Amino acid sequence: KNPAFKDLFDHASTVSQNLDDATMRRLAVANAEERRHKLFQMFWSPESALTYMAHRYPATWATNLRVLYELQRRAPDFRPTSVLDYGAGPAPGLAAAAEVWPGAFSHAVAVEPSEIMAQLGKYLTSDLTLPPIQWQRCLYDATDKFDLIIASYVQMEVRGQGSRDALIKQLWGRLTPGGVLVLVEPGTPTGFRFMHHTRELLISRIGPSHFHFVAPCSHEGMCPVALTGRDWCHFAQRVRRTPHKVYCKGSTRRFMEEEKFSFLAARRSAGPRTKYRSEREAPTAAEKSYFWPRVLYPVIKAAQHTLIDVCSAPQNFERLSVSKSKAHSFGYRFSRKAMWGDLWRFPKRVARPEARQYIPEKTREQLDRLAKTAWKALKWEEQEPGFNREQDRDKQFYGH
């Protein structure tokens, strides 16, 4: 009945008759070995594509919806008319964008090299409030620029840091002035490492005067979470599981699960932290929110007080204490209900300048040495070989 799945499983009966269990195990081992190769590309069979959709689509759609909803709340003046979903898969990013900005888009492009995934995406987006989606196999099939570019769960599949940097440069070059680049990765130390490297790349090559972080960062300085050696910036989104009769995960009682993710939303324009010197000078609540710290971990609730680990400007990862004995304006009631990832808009009472005071002295010294080495590598001198050529390439990619 569904034209999108026409001829999707015509080969299934023939293949299942010719492959025994031993052959399937050998193919699985061969696939695992091939994935180690730098040029490996994921192949999606019809069965694996449908399994991915049943297992991962709800969680990826929920994380994209949460990130885009926060973008819409933090930047109410941003109303995109064109969107690009790179590495779209079944297009959860486009579905979330259509939910956040209904009827706003006049141009939509999805880049997905797998024909099977593209079929699923076309079916799932057929009844959304989007214009006819242009499906492409690679980014270079068109040279259009976009107001919103989404790349969710993509960098994990790209091998080599140089390749990931080239991808970020290409996506940033496709943004219109005032456009937003949204990156989402799994909430693991590796996913955070990708976000942190992209963050440092934008800061060092573009500069805070030409862009700003909409979320989750509360500043454009060095990431303090990356210096602890044990923590990583990530958040959680609660998702209702697919019904047990559709996809079995071994439990029929627990219908909720936590999807951990790291993300970064960068806008190609000067932000409120550049335009205004402090929160008092910002005229609107949305612009004031750029100066508020962000709660990085679940709140620790004691009997008469709460402890909150936040990331705040200029580049602090600190622990706040909110006591019940303080005035209502200190936000004790809000702190009892604050969730992981919220913004803290109340006065700060710092209980611990460093939220995680468990770094051994030798580890701290090693981190300082690595930070100095990284700073020297970023701080080029004009007389060094290759400086002018690299500057010209940056102007080509970033536009200045």
Side-chain angles (χ1 to χ4, degrees), residues 21-41:
D21 293 341
T23 305
M24 292 296 291
R25 284 195 294 269
R26 286 197 298 269
L27 289 176
V29 173
N31 179 72
E33 292 295 329
E34 289 176 356
R35 286 184 64 88
R36 301 181 182 180
H37 196 275
K38 189 174 181 179
L39 300 179
F40 171 79
Q41 291 186 352

Side-chain angles (χ1 to χ4, degrees), residues 43-212:
F43 170 76
W44 292 101
S45 65
E47 295 86 355
S48 60
L50 286 176
T51 303
Y52 174 87
M53 186 180 68
H55 180 60
R56 291 293 301 157
Y57 185 88
T60 54
W61 176 84
T63 54
N64 277 275
L65 180 67
R66 171 173 172 174
V67 172
L68 295 180
Y69 179 74
E70 179 166 355
L71 171 61
Q72 188 262 342
R73 293 293 301 273
R74 299 291 301 280
D77 61 322
F78 177 67
R79 188 168 179 82
T81 58
S82 56
V83 57
L84 167 67
D85 191 356
Y86 183 83
L94 291 178
E99 183 78 16
V100 176
W101 294 282
F105 296 103
S106 59
H107 182 43
V109 176
V111 178
E112 175 53 51
S114 172
E115 184 63 29
I116 304 299
M117 278 291 190
Q119 289 185 28
L120 294 177
K122 291 175 183 178
Y123 170 70
L124 294 174
T125 57
S126 59
D127 57 347
L128 298 179
T129 57
L130 287 172
I133 301 174
Q134 178 183 346
W135 289 84
Q136 301 176 180
R137 285 187 172 273
C138 66
L139 184 63
Y140 308 103
D141 289 346
T143 59
D144 302 334
K145 292 200 172 185
F146 304 89
D147 298 332
L148 175 63
I149 297 180
I150 305 171
S152 60
Y153 300 94
V154 171
Q155 293 192 61
M156 195 71 72
E157 302 297 331
V158 180
R159 301 303 175 91
Q161 192 59 56
S163 301
R164 288 189 287 269
D165 291 348
L167 173 62
I168 297 300
K169 291 180 180 179
Q170 289 292 338
L171 295 178
W172 187 263
R174 297 296 183 95
L175 281 177
T176 59
V180 177
L181 174 63
V182 175
L183 306 173
V184 183
E185 292 296 329
T188 61
T190 302
F192 168 67
R193 181 169 59 85
F194 293 159
M195 295 294 99
H196 173 63
H197 184 86
T198 302
R199 188 179 184 278
E200 297 299 317
L201 181 69
L202 295 177
I203 293 174
S204 61
R205 297 302 176 94
I206 301 178
S209 60
H210 297 90
F211 86 103
H212 67 280

Side-chain angles (χ1 to χ4, degrees), residues 298-307 332 334-338:
V299 177
I300 303 174
K301 301 176 184 179
Q304 300 293 327
H305 69 281
T306 56
L307 301 176
Y332 174 75
F334 178 81
S335 68
R336 303 291 296 190
K337 301 178 181 179

Side-chain angles (χ1 to χ4, degrees), residues 213-235:
F213 296 116
V214 180
C217 306
S218 56
H219 55 86
E220 279 78 28
M222 181 179 292
C223 179
V225 182
L227 301 179
T228 64
R230 292 189 182 183
D231 299 295
W232 64 96
C233 180
H234 65 293
F235 306 93

